[in-house]
Amino acid sequence: MNTGNVKNMMVIVVVAILSSVITLFGYNAISKNNSNKLLGSSASVEQSEYANTFDQSKNVRLASLTTSQGYPDFTEAASQSVNGVVHVKVKSISQQQYMSPFDFFFGFGNRTPQPREQIGFGSGVIISKDGYIITNNHVVEGATEVSVTLNDNREFTAKVVGTDSQTDIALLKIEGSDFPYLTFGNSDALQVGEWVLAVGNPFNLTSTVTAGIVSAKNRGDIVGGGNLGIQSFIQVDAAVNRGNSGGALVNTRGELVGINTAIFSQSGDFSGLAFAVPISIAGKVAADIKQYGAVQRAYLGISVMPIEVARREDPERAKELSQIVGVVIDDFGDRSASKAAGLEKGDIIKAINNVQIRNFAGLQDQLSRYRPGDKVKVTVDRNGKELSYTVELQNDAGTTEVQRGSDSMDLLGATFNEIPNSRKQQLGINSGVEVAGVENNGLFRKEGINKGFIIMRVNNAPVNSGDDISKIVSAVSAGSQDKVILIAGFYPNGRTQYIAIDLSQGTR
C-alpha cells in the first residue's frame, strides 16, 4: 500500500471518529433539551398558581423510571403516593321513616322520621404539608363528622373547608405540620395510552395501588348521568372500586394528575372504566375554596345545543353537529360577555387562548381554569373565516366581581347557651339549647326566632350545644339537595313550633 492510500485511509478513519463523536454529543444535547422541556412543562401556568396556593415544593417530583428490561417501574411513584393518600371516614345522620306497630294495627298512618347514624368511607389526597386534603364532595356530603387516617395509622378529625357539587370536589383540613403530600402534575400533558396509578382505599383496603393506562380525555358524555355540572374527565382502565372515591390518580413521576371520582359499571364495582377529575380542574376548585370560600366560575354567556337534545328534536341538526370540531353558539344569555365582545349566533368556537376546542367538554375544561374578570382570546369560525375576540369572563350574576363564600352559621346570626340538666328537667325536655342572642340581619331574626327560644331538635336530631347545631347546618350546606333546616323548639311556657330555614336565601 503506497503512502497516498495510507493517508487517505487515515483521513477516512478520523472523519468517521469525529462524525461519531459529534452525533453522540448532538444526541445527548437533544435528549437533555427534550428532557428539560418535558420536566419544565410538568405544570402549566395555572397549575403552578394552584400549587403556590398550597405552598407545594417544586423539588419533590420523581423521575420516570423503567426496569432493566425497559418496562415501566412504578415502585418509587407508588411508595411516595401511598403516604400522601388518606382513608376518610364519614359520620352522617339519615332520616328514616319509622312506623309504630300501633299505626300498623289501628291505621293511624303516622310515620315519624327517626334519626339514624350512618358510617361511610372513601379516600383523600394530602396536597400541602400543613394538612389540606382534596376528596370528592359525594364522600363527605351530609357529614356531621369527618376523620382521616394516614398511611402511618395516625388519625385526625378533619374540618370540611368547603365543597363543590358541580365538580364533585371537596377540601378538608387537618391540624398539624410536615404531612407527606402529593404535588400537582400537568393533567393537560397526559396522553392516551400513558401509564397511570390509582391510589386509594377500595372496600376499606387501605393503601391500595392499581395501574392502568389513560383510555380517553375530556370524557363527559356518559359520566354521572348528567348530574355533575362540569364533565371533562380522564378515563382510565386502572381498577377503581367503591372506597377509591377521592383518591389519587398519579403519573409515573409520582405527580397528582387527577382525583378518582366515578366508575362505569352495572354492578357498582370495577368493570374496566373509571373516571377522574383532572387536577387542572380539581386544583383550581380547591384553591378557590381556600382563598375565597367559594368556587369562582367564569362564563362566556353562551348557550349550546346539547347533541342528545338535538338527536331527539332535530336528527338532521344532530348529524350536522356531530361532524363539527368545536362548539356552535346556539344563543346568548341575558347578560353575555361574548355578545358584548362581538361573537354571533352560529359562530363555531375553535380555541380558547390558542388551546384547541373539540367539543363542549373541552370548552368546559378550559373555562374552569379561569375566574371572573379574566380576559381570554376566543377564536371562532364564522362562515369559513377565522376570527378572534377578547372576552372578559363574568360570573353567573353578570359581573366580574369575585364571589366570596360565607359561613352558614354566620347566616343564622345567632349565639347559643347550653342548658344545664337541672333546667332541662324543669322544662321537661331531654335535649335543648337556648338562643342567647340574635342579629338584626340574620336568618333567625328573619324567621321570628329571638332570644330565649329553646331549640330541641334540628332536622329531627337532638341538639345540646351550638356545636351540635353547627355540624348539622354545615352538613346541609355542603349537600347538593335543598339547603333547608327544620327547627323544633319553643319559648318557655309556649307551644312547640316547627320553623323551616332556607340556608340558600342569600349571604350577609
Side-chain angles (χ1 to χ4, degrees):
M1 183 178 294
N2 59 40
T3 305
N5 289 337
V6 172
K7 289 183 178 179
N8 290 338
M9 184 65 70
M10 291 181 65
V11 169
I12 292 171
V13 171
V14 170
V15 170
I17 293 172
L18 288 174
S19 298
S20 300
V21 171
I22 292 171
T23 300
L24 180 61
F25 276 103
Y27 175 79
N28 287 338
I30 293 171
S31 298
K32 184 176 181 180
N33 186 47
N34 288 337
S35 176
N36 288 338
K37 286 182 179 179
L38 178 62
L39 293 174
S41 64
S42 64
S44 65
V45 174
E46 294 88 355
Q47 284 160 268
S48 296
E49 178 184 348
Y50 312 149
N52 291 339
T53 300
F54 295 99
D55 195 27
Q56 291 188 351
S57 170
K58 309 224 175 13
N59 300 312
V60 295
R61 295 187 176 91
L62 299 173
S64 183
L65 303 175
T66 58
T67 65
S68 58
Q69 292 80 21
Y71 299 114
D73 184 355
F74 304 135
T75 54
E76 289 297 325
S79 65
Q80 174 174 295
S81 300
V82 294
N83 291 322
V85 175
V86 300
H87 180 267
V88 180
K89 179 181 177 181
V90 176
K91 292 183 180 180
S92 60
I93 301 295
S94 68
Q95 302 296 326
Q96 297 198 347
Q97 297 293 332
Y98 168 76
M99 178 175 280
S100 164
F102 294 100
D103 294 336
F104 179 79
F105 286 112
F106 297 103
F108 295 128
N110 293 322
R111 294 189 176 189
T112 304
Q114 298 295 318
R116 182 178 178 180
E117 185 176 79
Q118 290 184 325
I119 305 295
F121 302 96
S123 304
V125 185
I126 305 175
I127 57 172
S128 70
K129 60 185 178 182
D130 59 344
Y132 280 97
I133 297 170
I134 292 183
T135 186
N136 285 140
N137 171 64
H138 76 259
V139 170
V140 298
E141 186 173 18
T144 56
E145 183 178 327
V146 179
S147 61
V148 301
T149 303
L150 275 61
N151 193 41
D152 61 8
N153 292 322
R154 285 183 294 166
E155 187 173 355
F156 297 85
T157 298
K159 174 186 177 182
V160 179
V161 180
T163 63
D164 180 51
S165 60
Q166 289 197 42
T167 54
D168 200 15
I169 292 298
L171 184 66
L172 312 179
K173 179 70 168 64
I174 57 177
E175 295 304 318
S177 60
D178 294 326
F179 292 109
Y181 65 91
L182 299 187
T183 55
F184 295 164
N186 188 352
S187 50
D188 294 339
L190 284 177
Q191 298 183 39
V192 174
E194 181 176 341
W195 282 102
V196 286
L197 304 179
V199 188
N201 307 282
F203 307 115
N204 270 337
L205 300 173
T206 59
S207 305
T208 298
V209 180
T210 55
I213 62 168
V214 176
S215 304
K217 295 178 63 177
N218 292 335
R219 181 69 80 195
D221 49 356
I222 60 173
V223 181
N227 294 326
L228 296 178
I230 293 180
Q231 297 195 33
S232 182
F233 292 87
I234 302 167
Q235 179 183 321
V236 299
D237 71 346
V240 173
N241 287 286
R242 288 170 289 180
N244 270 115
S245 290
L249 185 73
V250 302
N251 59 24
T252 55
R253 293 194 298 276
E255 299 166 332
L256 181 65
V257 291
I259 301 298
N260 298 317
T261 297
I263 58 177
F264 188 78
S265 169
Q266 301 297 326
S267 65
D269 296 328
F270 174 69
S271 61
L273 296 177
F275 302 91
V277 179
I279 200 62
S280 60
I281 295 177
K284 190 259 185 183
V285 169
D288 280 353
I289 291 174
K290 181 187 177 186
Q291 288 182 273
Y292 308 107
V295 180
Q296 306 302 307
R297 290 204 163 83
Y299 297 91
L300 284 171
I302 65 171
S303 62
V304 175
M305 170 70 77
I307 195 165
E308 294 81 6
V309 175
R311 284 180 181 138
R312 292 195 304 267
E313 299 180 355
D314 189 347
E316 288 300 318
R317 175 62 169 162
K319 185 177 180 180
E320 178 186 341
L321 289 174
S322 66
Q323 302 301 315
I324 294 174
V325 177
V327 174
V328 181
I329 299 176
D330 191 59
D331 206 347
F332 296 101
D334 293 334
R335 300 178 65 182
S336 173
S338 294
K339 187 174 183 179
L343 277 72
E344 299 178 0
K345 291 183 183 179
D347 285 351
I348 304 173
I349 298 176
K350 306 293 286 186
I352 299 291
N353 280 350
N354 298 320
V355 176
Q356 183 181 18
I357 302 298
R358 302 188 64 86
N359 50 37
F360 187 60
L363 178 63
Q364 286 185 308
D365 179 46
Q366 287 303 309
L367 291 179
S368 66
R369 303 154 189 262
Y370 299 101
R371 292 167 177 157
D374 288 344
K375 294 180 180 180
V376 296
K377 175 186 173 184
V378 181
T379 303
V380 301
D381 181 328
R382 181 179 300 165
N383 300 321
K385 185 178 181 181
E386 185 177 289
L387 302 170
S388 293
Y389 297 88
T390 299
V391 179
E392 185 176 20
L393 301 174
Q394 298 176 338
N395 57 36
D396 57 359
T399 72
T400 58
E401 295 178 0
V402 169
Q403 297 177 315
R404 296 187 178 274
S406 58
D407 192 306
S408 296
M409 284 296 286
D410 288 343
L411 293 177
L412 297 182
T415 55
F416 305 96
N417 286 331
E418 295 185 15
I419 302 175
N421 290 332
S422 57
R423 191 176 176 216
K424 287 180 182 177
Q425 184 175 358
Q426 293 174 356
L427 294 169
I429 58 176
N430 294 320
S431 63
V433 60
E434 183 180 33
V435 177
V438 295
E439 300 177 12
N440 290 331
N441 57 348
L443 293 178
F444 265 37
R445 175 61 62 85
K446 181 179 180 180
E447 299 298 336
I449 300 177
N450 294 301
K451 180 179 179 180
F453 190 76
I454 306 295
I455 299 174
M456 296 183 293
R457 297 184 302 279
V458 178
N459 285 1
N460 211 42
V463 292
N464 290 290
S465 67
D467 285 343
D468 290 344
I469 296 175
S470 178
K471 288 179 181 179
I472 297 171
V473 169
S474 296
V476 172
S477 298
S480 58
Q481 305 300 318
D482 293 336
K483 301 184 186 301
V484 177
I485 59 172
L486 180 63
I487 292 176
F490 61 94
Y491 290 102
N493 301 321
R495 63 182 178 84
T496 299
Q497 302 180 44
Y498 297 90
I499 302 170
I501 296 181
D502 184 357
L503 300 176
S504 64
Q505 290 183 56
T507 57
R508 297 172 57 205

